[in-house]
Amino acid sequence: MYRAPVDDIAFALNEVAGLRAAIDDGLFPELGTDLVDAILNEAGRFAGEEVAPLARIGDEKGAVLKDAAVTMPDGWKELYRRWVEGGWNGLSLPVDHGGQGLPGMLGVAALEMWNSASMAFGIGPILTMGAVDAIEKHASEELKALYLPKLVSGEWMGTMNLTEPQAGSDLNALRARAERAGDGTYRIFGQKIFITYGEHDFTDNIVHLVLARLPDAPPGTRGISLFLVPKFLPGENGAPGARNDVFCSSIEEKLGIHASPTCTMIYGDGFAKDREPGAVGWLIGEENRGLACMFTMMNNARLAVGMQGVAVAEAACQKATAYAQERRQGKAPGHDGEGMAPIILHPDVQRNLLTMKTLTATARLISYSCAHATDMARAKGGDDARHWQERANLLTPVAKAWSTDVGVDVASIGVQVHGGMGYVEETGAAALYRDARIAPIYEGTNGIQAIDLVTRKLPQSGGEHVLGYIAELRADAEAVRASNLPEFGRSGEKIAAALDELEAATRHMQGLLADGRMSDALAGATPYLRLFAIAAGAAYLGRGAVAAKAPDRIALCRFFCENFAGEAAALRERACEGAESLAQAAAALN
Amino acid sequence: MYRAPVDDIAFALNEVAGLRAAIDDGLFPELGTDLVDAILNEAGRFAGEEVAPLARIGDEKGAVLKDAAVTMPDGWKELYRRWVEGGWNGLSLPVDHGGQGLPGMLGVAALEMWNSASMAFGIGPILTMGAVDAIEKHASEELKALYLPKLVSGEWMGTMNLTEPQAGSDLNALRARAERAGDGTYRIFGQKIFITYGEHDFTDNIVHLVLARLPDAPPGTRGISLFLVPKFLPGENGAPGARNDVFCSSIEEKLGIHASPTCTMIYGDGFAKDREPGAVGWLIGEENRGLACMFTMMNNARLAVGMQGVAVAEAACQKATAYAQERRQGKAPGHDGEGMAPIILHPDVQRNLLTMKTLTATARLISYSCAHATDMARAKGGDDARHWQERANLLTPVAKAWSTDVGVDVASIGVQVHGGMGYVEETGAAALYRDARIAPIYEGTNGIQAIDLVTRKLPQSGGEHVLGYIAELRADAEAVRASNLPEFGRSGEKIAAALDELEAATRHMQGLLADGRMSDALAGATPYLRLFAIAAGAAYLGRGAVAAKAPDRIALCRFFCENFAGEAAALRERACEGAESLAQAAAALN
């Protein structure tokens, strides 16, 4: 059963990602490290004691659709109620609307815990937070007053309605349509698919944010508008009133996260019999400017999905380690006791567990650093804010893609450590392997993340931002080297060498973009992102090990450097020199 | 839907793995390449038209246990019947007992096809073949006469009963016991778990091969004997007679291969009410020498499981490629048509598909080469036979571990190529991801394979066999270089460099073993195996490309060299220099 690694999380937040320094600088005046610890401990308790015990029934029973209503698995509604009562939904949401206004880093750390306990549970609030962001930044005061208090508390949940059958990664192809009703409201028509928590029995109302086109909208993404479409229209005092013309027509049978209802939503098909067809919606932001609003939702959601990767990896580590301590087979070096050795003493099993543990750690450190950047962008002003916003922009695709790839790989190794028992559903290792697989896909596939990183983030500030970031990481490599601790082995040199490769690849990519060689840049985007993550992850592990000077942290840093940092040269080659052979071989794909 | 890649398979068999040369040398006098093609075509037809359409129902309904009897999914019993009638079970089994006696390579190629169509179907006959091997090599003439004709034809199926709850990878811990009955037979008692096709309704009888201990047996693996325990005792003319005291008490709820019944088998618990408790068994081989018999079964089974890896990877490639040709999103370089581009034109999608395709190809080439070595060992005599047996021994763990790791990775990328549709069970991509995950675990985990490779196979012939193998592969690298085809890019150099790393790592590992530094060798075994597979796979791709001089094969070889061969240096480092940091970091695992 999952136990939140509260000390590890606190260490990562404070000593690597920058929370302690920000607190010391007075950026979060109401926050001390004591309060941080208290929050993390309580979140950890709730995740381990309340959420985790319901993960199994969630996987086995799943969400069930009947007559357009989704019933959640036994105990889940009450679980959500208790979670809301604990104030967790509003942890890092704005104080103005009833939130606690704590730094996003804390929200992200707590999110990791909910998702380690159950990804199917943890994904729901991510959508609500996205809706809060979009409404807060772009909606009218009236809409804010009506919806934000309930969404911030968690009394209602939100959804994001982007995807249509023909429009997944490519939003140009959206067809859902909106008509002006003449009274300032709109009527929405169309079908949306893959809508996470599109329908459920957790809350009395569900607030759908829906992308659609007005009749006179220009084609492509410049003709998309964002609408707020509640399941129940606001009645007296804003309480849920008449049923809106939107309903869930089916839910997907998925590989994992069975308790998360993935809905096909039908807008404007006459579901509400007592009125003209057309789901009543309110515009968020300006007409035809919905894409910008949507990016507000998506950016934070991308980091949040990255946290799901960290979370499932952490859960898999814990489960595999516990099993390896328990299970005995064969003789192993260093086992002097009677009978068979715990398999955790076999070097090959240790390699698996250490691979899991260090990959998980790098994903966590990169993701928390990304959250920190967002917090700093909010807390600072002027040029500083711009700097930190660029940092958040830079790290978001890396946090999303690397963490979710790590989630899949670590969950897979976790099954392997369990041997035959891993393939049997009873142990839960297989469920993590099933759950993990969605995270590299949703909120923008990892291929899209890599393309975003290379084509939109490397050019920030004329290319200087990313180079400045790499320079900062070099200080970590140097600190490792300068520590003169023999336990590091050659970690400092290896981190520095990986950063050399990253810088070379970065300049190469920037050159391709400058030369308009877009296709070559796209061809190398995925290996470039992996190189970025390995180099940054190694540097962050070094930063933590230098700060802690603890043998365990030093050893984990060294293990990662010796087993992953060495890939950097090959990755640079793949990223920078592979376009020609890729194009050549692509002809063989028929 | 799966279509057997008959041309690719024939090419791999003939031009890379050595079948054509062996035929030309007159080693298989009754076999011409025409017959090879005819067999492959017919196997491909059966796999695609008969097996594949039943895969889905197999996954959805699975095998069902009721009152100790397992019912297979609708249509599966008839499918198995047709498959047996086609003569497929005995394809490469001995002529003396009714088989067709064709080279094992053909059997392995056909096995790939059954397993691409349905891993849950394809695994059953693998166990029967293992039983045939063990009985043929080690059992009395009487047992052979009674059981081999039915097992070779497939009228009955066989099983392998090794694992017990406390004894998985470590057979020292076996507890199942056997007692001498005084009439030459034995009585078997105990519980076996994870018994594939331990019970089903395909055949009128099931022949269990069971490892157990005699009362006076020495401890450990030197006290294990192998017994033949039929579900029904031989009656008149060998027809199934009285029910034996063995039954299936439960079947596992597994991540995948749902139609393959994974049984807990109970021996000697009084299931047959009309007799004294104790399952009636017959000794195979000598008392206390069961381990050798078991290895006979396992060696071929390991290659066969490797073929499952190839098979599931091939199926995933086909599914993802078809989807990428169909699905349209966004703009892509080279798409001049109307509307959105098929996603197969996006470089990042191409990278995914080419990664899938080349990994699959290397796994196939290594596995077929392993099968070829076994054929040659049988066809040749004297020193040649020993040479080829060592080759088969060397390649078996690589074929098993690399191919099954590839199966998991490729199936995972296959889900990714499908985007959101990959996570929905309807497309079948997720089912491949679930099915694939068992293969790195059963028949010896991939960690065990790596240890076997390093500790038992590298020392063959005083260490010379593996070095001779590497030297042979150097000729392939040289042939690529000497071809002077610019389309190869620097493939020849890259293959040669990977082989340099492999040779250095091999000598290093041999040195560790010679120095008794077993723990260091174990620590590096897994990265060593990966290095071996990448270097060998690259060389085989080069061999095929030089033979064919076809642009597609050259391009695929180059893609693999540029994207995987570059890992070799880092892998050698991991394999040879990682033991210290592994041991150091292992202390952090608590």
Side-chain angles (χ1 to χ4, degrees), chain A residues 67-69 199 205 208 230-233 240-248 265 271-275 278 280:
Chain A
D67 299 334
E199 172 61 28
N205 206 356
H208 305 293
K231 177 178 172 185
F232 291 99
L233 297 167
R243 187 71 162 83
N244 204 350
D245 187 5
V246 47
F247 76 103
C248 169
M265 303 299 298
F271 180 78
K273 304 287 178 211
D274 53 343
R275 56 177 64 236
V280 181

Side-chain angles (χ1 to χ4, degrees), chain B residues 392-411:
Chain B
N393 296 343
L394 177 70
L395 293 183
T396 295
V398 183
K400 196 277 179 180
W402 173 251
S403 300
T404 58
D405 280 347
V406 161
V408 171
D409 289 347
V410 168

Side-chain angles (χ1 to χ4, degrees), chain B residues 373 376-391:
Chain B
M376 293 296 278
R378 275 198 202 124
K380 298 266 190 176
D383 275 358
D384 278 354
R386 197 179 60 108
H387 167 81
W388 285 107
Q389 189 56 51
E390 288 192 349
R391 177 63 48 87

Side-chain angles (χ1 to χ4, degrees), chain A residues 27 103 118 121 172 211 389 398 402 429 528-529 536:
Chain A
L27 286 171
S118 165
F121 181 79
N172 281 289
L211 290 181
Q389 189 56 51
V398 184
W402 173 250
Y528 175 80
L529 187 147

Side-chain angles (χ1 to χ4, degrees), chain B residues 11 71 107-108 114 153 177 258 276 281 302 320 326 333-334 364 373 389 401 426 438 447 456 520 534 544 560:
Chain B
F11 181 85
T71 305
V108 154
W114 321 135
S153 71
R177 64 196 171 82
H258 290 155
E276 286 288 292
R302 284 178 171 184
E326 197 79 7
R364 179 181 288 129
Q389 189 56 51
E426 177 190 334
I438 186 56
R456 295 203 198 91
D520 290 355
I534 284 177
F560 187 79

Side-chain angles (χ1 to χ4, degrees), chain A residues 451-480:
Chain A
I451 290 168
D452 176 56
L453 173 65
V454 167
T455 64
R456 292 203 199 92
K457 307 307 169 62
L458 298 191
Q460 292 184 131
S461 282
E464 287 307 313
H465 184 85
V466 61
L467 296 172
Y469 175 68
I470 296 171
E472 284 175 34
L473 299 180
R474 286 193 187 279
D476 295 311
E478 185 48 36
V480 168

